[in-house]
Amino acid sequence: MLSETKLSLLQQLAQNASKEEIIWTKGYLSGFLDRVELLGGTTETNSNRPVAVKPLIVYGTETGNSKKVATGLLASFKKDKIQAKALDVSQFDVSKLEKESLVLFVMSTQGEGEFPQNAVTFYENLKASKADLSKVSYAVLGLGDTSYPLFANAGILLDEALAEKGAKRLLPLVKADVDFAETVSNWENDLKIAFQNLGSTVINKVKASISTTSHKKNYLGKISHKVVLNDIGSNKETYHIEIESEDEIQYEPGDALGIIPKNNQEEIKAIANYFNDENHEILIDKNVRGLSKKSLETFSKLFEIEIIEEKSNLIDILQKYQPKKVKLDEIVELLHPIAPRLYSISSSSDAHDGQVHLTVNLNKFKVNDEIKSGLASEFLAEFPLDTELEFYIHKNNNFRLPKEETDIIMIGPGTGIAPFRSFLAERDAKGAEGKNWLFFGEQHFVHDFYYQTEIQEWLTTGVLTKLDTAFSRDQERKIYVQDRIREKAAEFNSWIENGASIYICGQKNPMSQDVEKAIVEVIAKERNVSENDAKQILDELENQGKYQKDVY
């Protein structure tokens, strides 16, 4: 029975609600009641019921999202007086797993459904282990991207491996798409209820969850303009690409553009010809480049030979090992679809008339003295102008501009400049009051200063408050953006203390790790604290959304 106050409030809501709102509310309350019954039969708040468990949170991450989720969980648990700790999976030995009673895994997925680099050894050791995990309760949150064929596959494999070793699922596997905030919140709530019901079986009635989001919108457009940003004599080949569509392209600074590239015709013809098969088109959307160790192991079995490479293109494997008695159809069955490639958007829809711009480096590398190119960058570099191009906008709510009055520090060497060109153009168009400090680096000032004219204009007009550049090959000692940060330590720390948000974009390894190390050193030096304390300060900034990374 409702109290008079609650009944009056409900009646007011019902009288002012539309038919659609009443139908929605009916469904919401019905679902809420079902959820309460499944999760222990009570709506009592967690704060009213003490929790005695001490969960260990273990995260595996490539770009930092899993760590962000893990540290957020840790902070929330501590507020609820739940004693927890969080560890990078690379720091957690499988042999210690038996001694834990409750472990929560947050695991991202990379490439062809693979584990992040810091989690590979843990997973392999777990699979090979003879451990009895029957006294261990666990839950797995798998982060991924539904654009990719093997969505959240690392989470799936980890969940299965733990169950095979006898561990007990506290909650079924949850798979979260790129916009994972709501899914994480729901998982956290379910965990807290599960902690209170630990030991009962009622929680296992909760179904496995898959979160998919509407963070992708597909478009048809064309490349209207393309130019190499590097001058003659550069070691790089970096393209500025402008894309238009008859539809309004909806995006925000920080978002990315996704494409699914097609294979090079000559390459797939060569593969088909090896098998005396003319049907090369069946390979057009199959991944034949940069095959992973796992994929190469499947080909080893098919070819009945030992392939020693850990990563290779299919054509190179065929030419080197000359497999016999294999048909093209058998090859196709083992190949994954080409995964999407994401490129940070380097434009502002307000400043660039609805166009979307990219900054793309043609990825070139040597294999056995032969120059190779990355599939997607080659696809865009060679894509003809004014020809139909399919793409989608990939929302990135974890890399957003702050309020207009907030100062920002942007660290983006190489093509990491892309989102910061977007940031500056957006702030210029909107007349944002916050100060802007850019750190940019490349090899040579003369050859590789991307968007130099625009940047100098922003400096002149005051949109860009400060600029620090690091051209590594212009002097005998190589200088990088992290060196410039150390040189400006006092001012850098002052900006942070005054509320500036920090952004990093570009290569994860080693750039972003070196930059983060430099920031920690600056904070430690300027505030006279230990580097461990400085790291905690930076972690807290990250939890507050004031330290954001878009690294790859």
Side-chain angles (χ1 to χ4, degrees), residues 278-391:
E278 296 181 357
N279 188 20
H280 64 275
E281 286 297 326
I282 62 173
L283 293 165
I284 193 67
D285 59 357
K286 294 294 184 181
N287 184 41
V288 298
R289 290 196 189 180
L291 299 180
S292 67
K293 180 181 178 181
K294 187 176 178 181
S295 290
L296 293 174
E297 286 172 354
T298 63
F299 282 111
S300 287
K301 294 175 184 176
L302 177 64
F303 298 159
E304 297 180 347
I305 56 176
E306 181 184 1
I307 297 176
I308 61 173
E309 286 80 1
E310 294 198 352
K311 196 167 189 176
S312 183
N313 294 348
L314 178 57
I315 188 65
D316 295 331
I317 293 296
L318 296 176
Q319 292 172 347
K320 178 177 178 178
Y321 292 97
Q322 301 285 311
K324 309 296 182 185
K325 300 178 182 179
V326 178
K327 296 181 179 178
L328 180 59
D329 289 344
E330 295 175 275
I331 295 289
V332 172
E333 286 180 9
L334 297 180
L335 293 170
H336 295 300
I338 294 174
R341 305 304 202 268
L342 298 177
Y343 291 95
S344 298
I345 292 173
S346 55
S347 55
S348 159
S349 57
D350 287 339
H352 296 105
D353 298 324
Q355 292 182 331
V356 58
H357 298 174
L358 304 180
T359 310
V360 179
N361 176 54
L362 179 58
N363 183 23
K364 293 182 180 180
F365 49 94
K366 273 190 177 182
V367 177
N368 298 326
D369 295 326
E370 184 180 354
I371 299 294
K372 302 280 186 180
S373 297
L375 175 62
S377 58
E378 179 185 85
F379 175 79
L380 286 172
E382 296 180 354
F383 200 87
L385 297 179
D386 300 319
T387 303
E388 191 173 86
L389 173 71
E390 296 181 32
F391 63 94

Side-chain angles (χ1 to χ4, degrees), residues 228-235 440 442-452 469-474:
V228 175
L229 293 171
N230 311 88
D231 210 337
I232 297 171
S234 174
N235 298 318
F440 172 72
E442 248 299 354
Q443 290 189 353
H444 298 285
F445 171 84
V446 172
H447 304 309
D448 307 312
F449 195 164
Y450 308 150
Y451 304 115
Q452 180 182 1
T469 58
F471 294 99
S472 60
R473 311 293 172 87
D474 280 349

Side-chain angles (χ1 to χ4, degrees), residues 172-175 205-210:
L173 168 70
V174 172
K175 297 187 285 186
K205 294 179 183 178
V206 181
K207 295 180 181 179
S209 170
I210 300 175

